[in-house]
Each structure stands twice: as structure tokens, then as C-alpha cells.
């Protein structure tokens, strides 16, 4: 039977007049219904581990906008928590974690196969969603890339330049590499269960890939992505994989081929024309629109939507932002963007 889900068609290489569309962080604080459900759950982590409410917030943007894909509501930092790290969120400040500063901290973590009891509610969210999503909507599962997750585990929080992680990599590379190895293996187990529970695509978020340069990028961003994708495809033949090595710059070139990714997600620091020439030539691309347009709106939002659609129109493309939609975005701007895109 011919594939009817638009997102899966784009991921298999089809060029479409109107590309499929979804937004990173589409379930989030810019939506009043999200804030209400989060309040009902109590806090962000309780929301992540409440399968019914996590499924509810995943469905909210689908009901409101009819996006072509839903992304599982969870967080990249649940995996280190499942491995035994402490995790909490400081109101208004973001995530905080226990820190890994050397071999001792690494040794205290659990093994790659010990995560599933902790993650059971997340897998249940996937099962609910695969039952309840409209038949044309694709369910995307995800995990953080090992490097990005490691930056939080080492620093204990989000950092501007990922300095603590770079320091550990330079001062105790054996421990650093062993942490990346554990995260790579655990990510494969985690994503496999998401797929068994109904996710149809997986995406690997390497939000801090851009701070790895040269050989370090190849070793700690590209190699882990390649291993995760090749093992996922071996276990789940035909599974489409999206990679997001954010701010990789020139390292976007050839990333899909080298890792086996079916689609590379682009941030908004690269020009659209450059991406058409250097990245889309190898297959499907996603993203590239500046998230701030969802705040500022107006004619510029309409013009940019049409410009990006047109620029990527000669090849497979999934319309999305270059990073997550922000809490100050106007929900009405999403509707304006969708009208400009779909006509
Ligand atoms: O206050 C709130 O309600 C929490 C805000 C929030 C949300 C909505 C966080 C905290 N995480 C999430 C959900 C989330 N995170 C999703 C769900 C699906 C969707 O996109 O709708 C996904 C895919 C993520 C991924 C994620 N979490 C990334 C990678 C993508 C990116 O944005 O770069 C990262 C780096 C995180 C860590 C994290 N979790 C939350 C915050 C605020 C952060 C960033 C912390 C920082 O570095 O400052």
C-alpha cells in the first residue's frame, strides 16, 4: 500500500508541493492548554512521567494545528536520570543534575539495560499516542545525542560553552569516552523500546554539537550518531532516523551519508541556499526557520515561510524551525505560518 503519512513520504525521499510540517517544542509553554496540563501534573518532571497527561500535551498541538507529526512528550535528561543521576528543575532557571567529574561518578551509574523500569511511563505514553493520534499523523520518538546529554551530566546544568565537558574530555578522556559509550548503548536500548511502543521515526537531538570541532566532532558527535542509527536500523528495518547536529556548520556536509540518517535537521545559522546546495543534495532536510519569527510574526513571517518552502522545493523537505519554539511565541503566528505554507 502506498504510504499516506506525509512525514514518512518526505523521509523516504519524496519531493512534495506542500512539505509536511511540525515544530520543535510544539508542546510547550507558548500554549495555554499546555500550561494548564502542566499545572495539573504539578511540575515538569511529573508531567513527563504521567503517561496520560504527557500524551495529552503531545496531542494538544495536533488538535490545534493539525501538524503532520507529533513528538513524544519527554525530555533528553530523563535518560541520565534512569541511569541514576539526580535531576531536578529550578523554577525559571532550567535543569539541575548531580555532576560527573571522574571515574567514580561514572562507576556509580547503572548499566544500559537497567533503564526500562524507570522509563516504563514514557513507553506507555508512546502506546497511548499510537492509539490516539489521527491516522495521518506520524509519531516521532527521540533522545538526546550522547555528547549533548553528557554536557549536562558533567556540568550539572545547561552551559553556554560546554566548558566542563570539554575540560573532562581533555583531562580524562578515558572517563569521558566511557560515558559517551554508556550513553550511546543506553540510547539504543531506550529508542528501541520507544519504537516497540509505537514510535515510527526517531530523532537524535545534538543541541551542542556545534561546540565540538574537527576530529572531536567526528569522534563524539558523528560516530555515536552513526552507531545509534545503524543499530536502530538493524533492529528495526526501514526505521527512518532524523539527526540534528545543531550548529555543526560545515560539518553538516556529508553528515547524512556518514551516519545513515534519512534526514538532517538544520539550525537557522546556516543559509537556506547553502543548505540546498550542500546538504539537501544528499536527501531530506528539516528546519532552518528562525524561531523568533513565531514571536514577531507579521509579513516577515509569511515571507520567510514562503521563501524557505520555495528554496527547498526541489527536494525532500520537512518544514520546521531551526530550534524550539519559545515560550513567548504567539500561538496565532503558528496559524499564520501554516496558512502561508499550506495555502
Ligand atoms: O517549563 C516547562 O514546561 C519545561 C520546558 C521544557 C519542555 C517543554 C523542557 C525543559 N523540556 C521540554 C520538552 C522537550 N525537551 C521535548 C518534547 C517534545 C517537543 O519538542 O514538543 C524535547 C524533544 C526536548 C528536548 C530537549 N531537552 C533538548 C534538545 C532540544 C533543544 O531544545 O535543544 C534539550 C537541550 C533539553 C534540555 C532541557 N529541558 C528543558 C529545558 C529548558 C532544557 C534546556 C536547558 C538548557 O540548556 O538551558
Amino acid at each position: 500500500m502506498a504510504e499516506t503519512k506525509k512525514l514518512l513520504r518526505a523521509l523516504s525521499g519524496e519531493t512534495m508541493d506542500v512539505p509536511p510540517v511540525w515544530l520543535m517544542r510544539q508542546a510547550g509553554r507558548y500554549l495555554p492548554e499546555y500550561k494548564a496540563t502542566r499545572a495539573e501534573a504539578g511540575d515538569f518532571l511529573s508531567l513527563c512521567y504521567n503517561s496520560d497527561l504527557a500524551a495529552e500535551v503531545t496531542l494538544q498541538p495536533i488538535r490545534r494545528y493539525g501538524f503532520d507529526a507529533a513528538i513524544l512528550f519527554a525530555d533528553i535528561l530523563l535518560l541520565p536520570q534512569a541511569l541514576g543521576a539526580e535531576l531536578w528543575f529550578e523554577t525559571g532557571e532550567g535543569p539541575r543534575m548531580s555532576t560527573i567529574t571522574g571515574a567514580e561518578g561514572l562507576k556509580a551509574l547503572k548499566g544500559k539495560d537497567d533503564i526500562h523500569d524507570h522509563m516504563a511511563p514514557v513507553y506507555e505514553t508512546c502506546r497511548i499516542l499510537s492509539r490516539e493520534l489521527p491516522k495521518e499523523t506520524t509519531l516521532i520518538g527521540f533522545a538526546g545525542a550522547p555528547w549533548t546529554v553528557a554536557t549536562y551530566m558533567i556540568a550539572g546544568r545547561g552551559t553556554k560553552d560546554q566548558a566542563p565537558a570539554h575540560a573532562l574530555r581533555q583531562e580524562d578522556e578515558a572517563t569521558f569516552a566511557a560515558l559517551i559509550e554508556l550513553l550511546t548503548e543506553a540510547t539504543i536500548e531506550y529508542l528501541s523500546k520507544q519504537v516497540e511502543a509505537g514510535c515510527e521515526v526517531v530523532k537524535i537531538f545534538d543541541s551542542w554539537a556545534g561546540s565540538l570541532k574537527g576530529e572531536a566532532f567526528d569522534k563524539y558527535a558523528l560516530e555515536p550518531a552513526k552507531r545509534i542509527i545503524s543499530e536502530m536500523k538493524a533492529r528495526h528495518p526501514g526505521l527512518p532516523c532524523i539527526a540534528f547536529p545543531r550548529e555543526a556548520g560545515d560539518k553538516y556536509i556529508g553528515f547524512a551519508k556518514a551516519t545513515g540518517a534519512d534526514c538532517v535537521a538544520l539550525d537557522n545559522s546556516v543559509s537556506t541556499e547553502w543548505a540546498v546546495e550542500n546538504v539537501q543534495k544528499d536527501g531530506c532536510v528539516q528546519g532552518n526557520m528562525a524561531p523568533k519569527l513565531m514571536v514577531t510574526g507579521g509579513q516577515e513571517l509569511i515571507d520567510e515561510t514562503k521563501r524557505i518552502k520555495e528554496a527547498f522545493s526541489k527536494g525532500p523537505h520537512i518544514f520546521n524551525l531551526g530550534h524550539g519554539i519559545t515560550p513567548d511565541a504567539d500561538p496565532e503566528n503558528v496559524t499564520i505560518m501554516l496558512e502561508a505554507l499550506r495555502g
Side-chain angles (χ1 to χ4, degrees), residues 10-66:
L11 286 169
S12 72
E14 187 177 330
T15 303
M16 278 170 275
D17 292 341
V18 178
V21 52
W22 67 282
L23 299 182
M24 280 188 267
R25 291 277 168 99
Q26 64 191 16
R29 281 176 295 171
Y30 73 108
L31 289 180
E33 59 268 37
Y34 170 84
K35 283 191 271 194
T37 308
R38 184 175 179 266
E40 190 186 334
D43 57 52
F44 172 68
L45 283 176
S46 306
L47 178 55
C48 290
Y49 293 116
N50 181 321
S51 309
D52 290 319
L53 296 183
E56 167 59 23
V57 295
T58 308
L59 289 164
Q60 286 167 351
I62 308 304
R63 286 190 206 114
R64 194 190 257 261
Y65 300 118

Side-chain angles (χ1 to χ4, degrees), residues 275-297:
V276 168
E277 225 173 274
N278 293 288
V279 190
Q280 197 189 29
K281 71 170 173 48
D282 292 335
C284 188
V285 292
Q286 172 182 281
N288 195 226
M289 190 156 95
K292 79 163 190 336
L293 288 165
M294 292 300 173
V295 183
T296 54

Side-chain angles (χ1 to χ4, degrees), residues 35-111:
K35 283 191 271 194
T37 308
R38 184 175 179 266
E40 190 186 334
D43 57 52
F44 172 68
L45 283 176
S46 306
L47 178 55
C48 290
Y49 293 116
N50 181 321
S51 309
D52 290 319
L53 296 183
E56 167 59 23
V57 295
T58 308
L59 289 164
Q60 286 167 351
I62 308 304
R63 286 190 206 114
R64 194 190 257 261
Y65 300 118
F67 289 125
D68 295 289
I71 184 160
L72 164 69
F73 190 84
D75 195 81
I76 66 164
L77 301 178
L78 305 188
L79 183 65
Q81 195 182 31
L83 287 167
E86 280 172 55
L87 170 68
W88 67 101
F89 280 77
E90 294 285 343
T91 315
E93 286 191 43
R96 293 289 182 274
M97 304 185 78
S98 46
T99 57
I100 294 196
T101 51
E104 293 286 283
L106 178 69
K107 244 176 56 197
L109 294 176
K110 298 182 189 169

